[in-house]
Amino acid sequence: MNIKDEVERQAINERHAQRMQRKKQLIDEKIASAQIRRGLIVMNCGNGKGKSSSGLGMVMRALGHQKKVGVVQFIKGAMSTGEEKFLRRFPEEVEFHAMGEGYTWNTQNRERDIAKAQAAWEQARKFLNDPTIALVLLDEVNIALKYHYLDVQMVIEDLQQRPPMQHVILTGRGALPEVIAIADTVTEMQEVKHAFKSGVTAQECIEW
Amino acid sequence: MNIKDEVERQAINERHAQRMQRKKQLIDEKIASAQIRRGLIVMNCGNGKGKSSSGLGMVMRALGHQKKVGVVQFIKGAMSTGEEKFLRRFPEEVEFHAMGEGYTWNTQNRERDIAKAQAAWEQARKFLNDPTIALVLLDEVNIALKYHYLDVQMVIEDLQQRPPMQHVILTGRGALPEVIAIADTVTEMQEVKHAFKSGVTAQECIEW
């Protein structure tokens, strides 16, 4: 490397360090002004991939921090999934309930779907009343709410009355605005591209 | 329930069943036309929550299906996370490498960041050459690409030359268009609301 290149390299590195110092100052100020610790309602909605899997990732984090976790799956249950096989290995750490029978177009039975959704909510409520459970994942609950299989006011009250440090994650398409309103962190998973539309089937590891 | 209500209830259930039968037909046709099985490149990008956690959820699914997993974290590494604590419990099933030292505004050292990113890519490449690994998570790799700490053409070539059934998940803000172009499933995690902006600090189980 000649001297000119070396001088230029040092100048780039120096500018980078200065930019990052300024950035760090701004970020440190933001961090200093965000010091509240409390249980959150996290909502993963939208049509893209990643709603349930992100919930499962937070389950993994909670298990890493040696917290107890409760999972209720509102739609899944008709087939065994990777998450079910995995989480059943830790019965002391995770209480796992897959209480659905498949999507509404598979079951084709509204009254049975309603009964299943309500039974699943009974289980969810047990978790929401249990302060030893640090994190509750209510997977695909948005779908049960969208079809009015669950009363949204009842759901909101149960969520708001949970232990103050407990986190709850809600997932699924078609999130109701009333539920979005009471959530703390809401992400819309937007589909930019999906392999299924290029002819790729739903595959293990990725979708289930 | 009087007879009028009972008749109405049956009519609602009947209409529901018919609608769901039609929906199932459409969905079955779509499923029938998507039968390819192959390894996917899954990209989780955008500014919202859920990019890394969704990747971890797919790691969990793969473990449930008794597959071997490789994880490289490009930014994380300066502090211990829930996912690290958890995944280190399964050394036979997951090879886990947290090879970063924090965000660029924390490290403030461009040359050191570049060296770290390149070392992390060397590890990623080992996974991408190993057909016994079913799923590879390259967490926050988009950030290393955005800052040009890694050569994008090299990364694309290594991804494209991997074993045909191997899935790879890339996460992070600022995804480059060249990488989006070769991905199979791309989701933009869009922030609708974030607890941090309401004064809530980054909390264990949720963010780490």
Side-chain angles (χ1 to χ4, degrees):
Chain A
M1 194 180 274
N2 66 33
I3 291 174
K4 187 163 162 279
D5 286 351
E6 176 60 22
V7 168
E8 196 173 320
R9 188 177 68 89
Q10 285 185 8
I12 290 171
N13 288 340
E14 186 52 34
R15 277 198 305 276
H16 175 89
Q18 286 171 359
R19 230 175 20 244
M20 291 304 134
Q21 279 163 22
R22 286 194 300 272
K23 189 159 181 176
K24 181 168 165 51
Q25 212 172 356
L26 289 171
I27 287 169
D28 283 350
E29 283 166 19
K30 282 191 196 171
I31 291 172
S33 68
Q35 290 297 322
I36 302 166
R37 295 181 58 79
R38 62 176 168 78
L40 298 180
I41 300 177
V42 177
M43 163 70 87
N44 294 343
C45 55
N47 295 336
K49 173 155 183 58
K51 300 180 287 296
S52 298
S53 53
S54 166
L56 295 171
M58 288 183 263
V59 166
M60 180 189 287
R61 285 178 175 155
L63 294 175
H65 294 296
Q66 296 181 290
K67 306 287 185 187
K68 271 185 69 184
V69 174
V71 178
V72 181
Q73 294 193 312
F74 280 76
I75 298 293
K76 289 156 196 168
M79 63 179 266
S80 177
T81 58
E83 60 262 35
E84 174 163 15
K85 285 183 198 162
F86 188 72
L87 292 174
R88 291 220 187 276
R89 287 167 57 180
F90 313 99
E92 304 291 309
E93 300 164 66
V94 191
E95 206 180 314
F96 185 90
H97 297 268
M99 298 186 74
E101 293 185 313
Y103 286 99
T104 49
W105 55 86
N106 286 321
T107 58
Q108 299 182 10
N109 185 324
R110 182 173 160 272
E111 299 218 343
R112 198 176 160 93
D113 285 353
I114 292 173
K116 286 275 160 189
Q118 290 178 349
W121 190 259
E122 288 306 315
Q123 180 54 56
R125 183 181 281 147
K126 282 182 199 154
F127 291 147
L128 296 171
N129 280 322
D130 182 351
T132 71
I133 294 185
L135 186 132
V136 179
L137 171 58
L138 303 178
D139 190 36
E140 308 282 12
V141 68
N142 289 342
I143 294 179
L145 284 161
K146 184 181 77 164
Y147 279 96
H148 306 292
Y149 292 171
L150 298 174
D151 179 68
V152 64
Q153 282 315 316
M154 172 195 75
V155 165
I156 287 173
E157 271 168 38
D158 287 343
L159 290 172
Q160 289 182 324
Q161 285 163 17
R162 76 192 192 285
M165 292 309 294
Q166 188 183 68
H167 300 300
V168 189
I169 305 157
L170 316 174
T171 81
R173 296 179 181 217
L176 296 184
E178 305 94 296
V179 188
I180 288 178
I182 63 151
D184 298 287
T185 293
V186 179
T187 311
E188 188 186 339
M189 275 65 177
Q190 278 216 336
E191 182 181 301
V192 177
K193 222 194 254 191
H194 202 297
F196 183 68
K197 296 188 177 163
S198 309
V200 177
T201 186
Q203 293 180 101
E204 64 178 12
C205 306
I206 302 296
E207 271 94 8
W208 48 278
Chain B
M1 194 180 274
N2 66 31
I3 290 173
K4 187 165 163 281
D5 287 351
E6 176 59 22
V7 168
E8 195 173 319
R9 188 178 68 89
Q10 286 184 9
I12 289 171
N13 288 340
E14 187 50 36
R15 277 199 304 275
H16 174 89
Q18 286 171 359
R19 226 173 24 240
M20 290 304 134
Q21 279 162 23
R22 285 196 300 273
K23 189 160 181 174
K24 182 169 163 49
Q25 212 172 354
L26 289 172
I27 288 171
D28 283 350
E29 284 166 18
K30 282 190 195 170
I31 290 172
S33 68
Q35 291 297 321
I36 301 166
R37 295 182 57 79
R38 62 177 168 81
L40 299 180
I41 299 177
V42 177
M43 164 68 86
N44 295 343
C45 53
N47 295 335
K49 177 161 179 54
K51 300 180 289 293
S52 297
S53 52
S54 166
L56 294 171
M58 288 182 263
V59 166
M60 181 189 286
R61 285 178 175 155
L63 295 175
H65 293 296
Q66 298 182 286
K67 306 289 187 185
K68 270 185 71 184
V69 174
V71 178
V72 180
Q73 294 193 314
F74 280 76
I75 299 294
K76 289 156 196 166
M79 63 179 267
S80 177
T81 59
E83 61 263 34
E84 173 163 14
K85 285 181 195 162
F86 188 73
L87 292 174
R88 290 218 188 278
R89 287 168 57 182
F90 313 99
E92 303 291 310
E93 299 164 68
V94 191
E95 203 180 316
F96 184 91
H97 297 268
M99 299 186 74
E101 293 185 312
Y103 287 99
T104 49
W105 55 86
N106 286 321
T107 57
Q108 299 182 8
N109 185 325
R110 182 173 161 271
E111 299 218 342
R112 198 174 161 95
D113 286 352
I114 292 173
K116 286 274 159 190
Q118 290 179 347
W121 190 260
E122 288 306 314
Q123 181 54 56
R125 183 180 282 146
K126 282 182 199 154
F127 291 146
L128 297 171
N129 279 323
D130 181 351
T132 72
I133 294 186
L135 186 132
V136 179
L137 171 59
L138 303 178
D139 190 37
E140 309 282 13
V141 68
N142 288 343
I143 294 179
L145 284 161
K146 182 180 77 163
Y147 279 96
H148 305 294
Y149 291 172
L150 298 174
D151 180 68
V152 65
Q153 283 315 318
M154 172 195 73
V155 165
I156 288 173
E157 271 169 38
D158 286 343
L159 290 172
Q160 289 182 325
Q161 284 163 16
R162 75 192 192 283
M165 292 309 292
Q166 187 184 67
H167 302 299
V168 188
I169 305 158
L170 316 175
T171 82
R173 298 179 178 214
L176 297 184
E178 304 94 296
V179 188
I180 289 178
I182 64 151
D184 298 288
T185 292
V186 178
T187 311
E188 188 184 339
M189 276 63 177
Q190 277 215 336
E191 182 181 301
V192 178
K193 222 193 256 191
H194 202 295
F196 184 67
K197 295 186 177 164
S198 309
V200 177
T201 187
Q203 293 179 101
E204 62 179 13
C205 305
I206 302 295
E207 272 94 7
W208 47 279

